[in-house]
Amino acid sequence: MDISNHASKFNQWKDTYNWDTCKTNRKEFGQFIAQFLTSESRVINLNGIYGSGKTEFIRRLYTELAKRNHPVVYIDVWESDFSNNPLAVICSELLEQVEYVFKEKAPNGKAKDRKGAVAKFNDLKSKLGICLKYFDAAAAFTDEPLVLAGTKAVTKIVEATPNLTSKTQLQKFTEEIQKNHIASISAVKDIKNHITYLSELIEIIYELNIPIVILIDELDRCRPNYAVEVLEVIKHFFETKGCTFLVATNTEVLEHSVKSIYGSGFDAKLYLRRFFDRKITLPPIPLVDYLLAKDLDFSKYKNLLLYPFTDNQRGNINFFANLFESNEIELRGIEQILNRFFTSLDYVSARTAVCPLINTVVLIIGLIEQHLDKQENRKNISHASFSIKIQGASIIGSPLKAFVDSMFECVTITNGKKCFAGGVLTTYPEQRVMLRIQSRSYSEVKLDNGTNIGKLISEMINHKDSESCNYWMWEDYQKIIDLSGHIE
């Protein structure tokens, strides 16, 4: 059997979502989890904070499970968040993706078994239809707008002019719901039995491995009510032998969703244990690896001079990671800062007539200060001072603070008689305006494991004196940082 028949998204995902393209080094972890998922039937929570790569991980897990000959289903529940019926969503996705198996011809000698399996599959559809019908009827007592409006209208008539007709209509309506409810309870039991039986037939007829694995993604992005209803549907309709669910979510966010429904004092952790047999925590990745996995593209800014990492812009990634870690910025905050950083570069790149020289160290620090609401009231004449943390590990061999101070001295000015340029000291008879970095010897500023970057700083200074370059000073950075601050 072609893999795409038991994993309908396999051909679409196999080249993009596989362990060879995984830049977070989670191959061994993923293979371990794939084995754990398929050892027995259960409902499992995959917990990971925002931006930890849950979607990337479970899509690679999908490809891995498909290669292991397991029927596998992927459902992005956030795509259906607008719906008021999670049962309909999960039913349709499950049936559609599993149906690919039964469209395949049975091997020799098993055509009769296939015919019986197809009949059982159609019976499963029918049973699910009964439950959906009950849900639609019961919606009159929940929050379905159209039916609810009708029920309220009937109620008002009864209150105003009580009569047997209106009462009888309500009684009939209630009796119909009760009848559907009884039928649905029976159908739920049948659904579980059918799924177990179908999984066994899939194994016998098509020699696929069971359980069927259903991967639920983006639950933490859904409306609180909808997220909880999805869990209820999984628990009551599909938690059965032959079926394993992996629900990817930020569990802390999900707990907040539960509390928003049942109250802040509600024990959300205990409540969620009702739904999950096991909890897997997606291991964190080093920030450097996280940033590398994002494929941050500096190469597109060919009309900008980006300093100080001119030869290898990957130095930005190491530097950014160091600052993010020092200031304990969570992944959501990192995403926001990076978005503002590249939006700023895009803006400058699109508008420039004269090639600007942008110091990426200065820009990212200004954006971090803004994000943490710790902006310094600087001018072009200000000394470098910082309210954020600039400490800890070295930046490729140079103390981080000294390196940052030097970069800010390249974008601020001072007055003096002694001026360094190109390693040469010149003394003037009167005070002159110069870059603050020029007021001292900068030959000891180091990068690349102890190699000084005096020549690089001299190069920056030369660009400042060139008519073909727009050399940015601190107040230029401040303007673009203020503009980007409107992006949430």
Side-chain angles (χ1 to χ4, degrees):
M1 174 184 285
D2 187 272
I3 292 180
S4 62
N5 286 333
H6 62 264
S8 60
K9 297 181 184 296
F10 179 77
N11 288 338
Q12 176 187 349
W13 286 356
K14 63 180 180 179
D15 295 328
T16 304
Y17 299 109
N18 59 72
W19 301 124
D20 292 334
T21 64
C22 181
K23 295 182 180 179
T24 55
N25 298 318
R26 285 174 170 158
K27 178 178 181 179
E28 189 172 4
F29 176 75
Q31 292 175 336
F32 177 83
I33 296 304
Q35 185 63 40
F36 174 71
L37 284 178
T38 54
S39 60
E40 61 180 280
S41 302
R42 47 196 161 190
V43 180
I44 300 167
N45 173 213
L46 176 66
N47 174 41
I49 62 175
Y50 174 83
S52 58
K54 294 189 295 295
T55 294
E56 293 266 334
F57 178 76
I58 67 171
R59 290 187 178 188
R60 287 184 169 86
L61 201 56
Y62 180 101
T63 304
E64 174 75 22
L65 292 165
K67 289 178 179 178
R68 294 188 183 201
N69 229 27
H70 278 273
V72 58
V73 174
Y74 174 87
I75 305 175
D76 182 343
V77 288
W78 190 57
E79 288 183 346
S80 59
D81 182 63
F82 60 87
S83 169
N84 285 325
N85 194 336
L87 176 60
V89 172
I90 294 177
C91 286
S92 61
E93 290 287 350
L94 178 63
L95 293 174
E96 180 185 359
Q97 294 185 47
V98 172
E99 193 170 19
Y100 277 88
V101 176
F102 296 106
K103 289 180 179 179
E104 184 75 1
K105 290 183 179 179
N108 290 335
K110 296 183 179 179
K112 184 178 179 181
D113 292 332
R114 177 186 177 277
K115 186 176 180 181
V118 170
K120 185 67 68 173
F121 185 78
N122 290 333
D123 195 22
L124 173 61
K125 288 183 180 180
S126 174
K127 296 295 182 183
L128 287 168
I130 291 173
C131 292
L132 288 170
K133 179 181 177 182
Y134 164 67
F135 265 50
D136 288 340
F141 295 103
T142 57
D143 60 353
E144 288 287 345
L146 294 177
V147 183
L148 187 59
T151 305
K152 287 181 177 179
V154 172
T155 302
K156 286 183 178 180
I157 293 172
V158 172
E159 290 174 350
T161 55
N163 57 69
L164 291 176
T165 304
S166 59
K167 285 184 179 179
T168 303
Q169 289 297 100
L170 284 175
Q171 287 170 353
K172 287 182 178 179
F173 192 54
T174 303
E175 288 170 2
E176 182 67 21
I177 290 175
Q178 288 174 338
K179 183 174 69 175
N180 286 338
H181 179 59
I182 293 169
S184 72
I185 291 174
S186 175
V188 168
K189 294 178 181 177
D190 289 340
I191 285 167
K192 292 190 174 186
N193 291 332
H194 279 39
I195 291 174
T196 299
Y197 185 55
L198 284 170
S199 67
E200 291 171 353
L201 289 176
I202 286 172
E203 183 180 32
I204 293 169
I205 299 172
Y206 296 106
E207 298 179 350
L208 295 173
N209 296 319
I210 57 171
I212 301 168
V213 181
I214 298 98
L215 305 173
I216 303 290
D217 197 11
E218 303 285 18
L219 187 69
D220 49 352
R221 299 180 71 180
C222 295
R223 290 176 288 113
N225 277 6
Y226 190 77
V228 171
E229 286 169 8
V230 167
L231 293 177
E232 292 281 1
V233 164
I234 293 171
K235 181 74 175 178
H236 295 299
F237 290 86
F238 300 106
E239 186 184 27
T240 185
K241 184 181 177 182
C243 219
T244 284
F245 279 83
L246 180 68
V247 182
T249 181
N250 183 331
T251 308
E252 184 178 351
V253 172
L254 188 58
E255 288 171 4
H256 287 307
S257 294
V258 172
K259 288 183 178 182
S260 73
I261 297 170
Y262 295 108
S264 59
F266 188 77
D267 191 340
K269 283 187 172 64
L270 182 62
Y271 176 78
L272 290 177
R273 288 193 199 124
R274 293 176 49 220
F275 301 105
F276 299 122
D277 301 305
R278 294 289 186 275
K279 177 180 173 182
I280 300 168
T281 298
L282 198 61
I285 58 175
L287 269 182
V288 169
D289 291 341
Y290 173 75
L291 295 179
L292 287 173
K294 293 184 66 62
D295 288 324
L296 303 178
D297 185 12
F298 293 86
S299 63
K300 62 181 179 179
Y301 303 110
K302 298 186 184 301
N303 61 334
L304 305 180
L305 293 171
L306 300 181
Y307 278 77
F309 305 104
T310 53
D311 294 331
N312 182 8
Q313 292 296 337
R314 177 173 172 172
N316 280 303
I317 293 173
N318 295 324
F319 179 73
F320 292 1
N322 196 307
L323 285 176
F324 294 148
E325 287 177 345
S326 295
N327 290 278
E328 300 177 349
I329 300 174
E330 296 181 349
L331 291 179
R332 186 183 296 272
I334 290 173
E335 290 291 329
Q336 291 173 348
I337 293 167
L338 291 176
N339 178 265
R340 291 169 184 163
F341 178 87
F342 285 102
T343 299
S344 298
L345 293 186
D346 289 339
Y347 176 77
V348 177
S349 178
R351 289 173 55 87
T352 183
V354 180
C355 182
L357 189 151
I358 309 293
N359 191 310
T360 54
V361 169
V362 174
L363 179 58
I364 195 68
I365 287 178
L367 289 168
I368 291 174
E369 290 175 334
Q370 178 195 63
H371 178 78
L372 297 176
D373 198 22
K374 293 182 177 180
Q375 286 177 280
E376 291 285 330
N377 186 23
R378 299 188 190 94
K379 300 293 183 182
N380 285 347
I381 59 173
S382 299
H383 286 277
S385 62
F386 309 98
S387 54
I388 64 171
K389 295 178 182 177
I390 302 174
Q391 58 188 21
S394 299
I395 182 70
I396 319 179
S398 174
L400 189 60
K401 179 65 164 58
F403 174 75
V404 171
D405 284 345
S406 298
M407 293 301 98
F408 268 80
E409 288 177 349
C410 289
V411 299
T412 53
I413 58 175
T414 188
N415 292 313
K417 293 182 179 181
K418 294 182 178 181
C419 179
F420 288 85
V424 177
L425 171 62
T426 302
T427 302
Y428 297 100
E430 70 284 336
Q431 295 273 337
R432 290 198 174 194
V433 177
M434 65 188 75
L435 291 175
R436 193 171 293 276
I437 193 74
Q438 292 179 276
S439 66
R440 66 178 179 88
S441 176
Y442 46 78
S443 60
E444 295 304 314
V445 179
K446 295 180 180 179
L447 192 61
D448 293 330
N449 298 320
T451 303
N452 74 71
I453 56 171
K455 290 183 178 179
L456 183 65
I457 293 175
S458 293
E459 185 179 310
M460 293 169 66
I461 294 170
N462 289 337
H463 280 301
K464 181 180 183 302
D465 297 330
S466 171
E467 293 182 359
S468 61
C469 175
N470 177 16
Y471 188 97
W472 273 35
M473 301 298 292
W474 166 250
E475 291 175 21
D476 296 309
Y477 293 95
Q478 186 64 69
K479 289 177 183 177
I480 198 71
I481 289 167
D482 288 342
L483 285 173
S484 69
H486 296 283
I487 302 173
E488 292 290 338

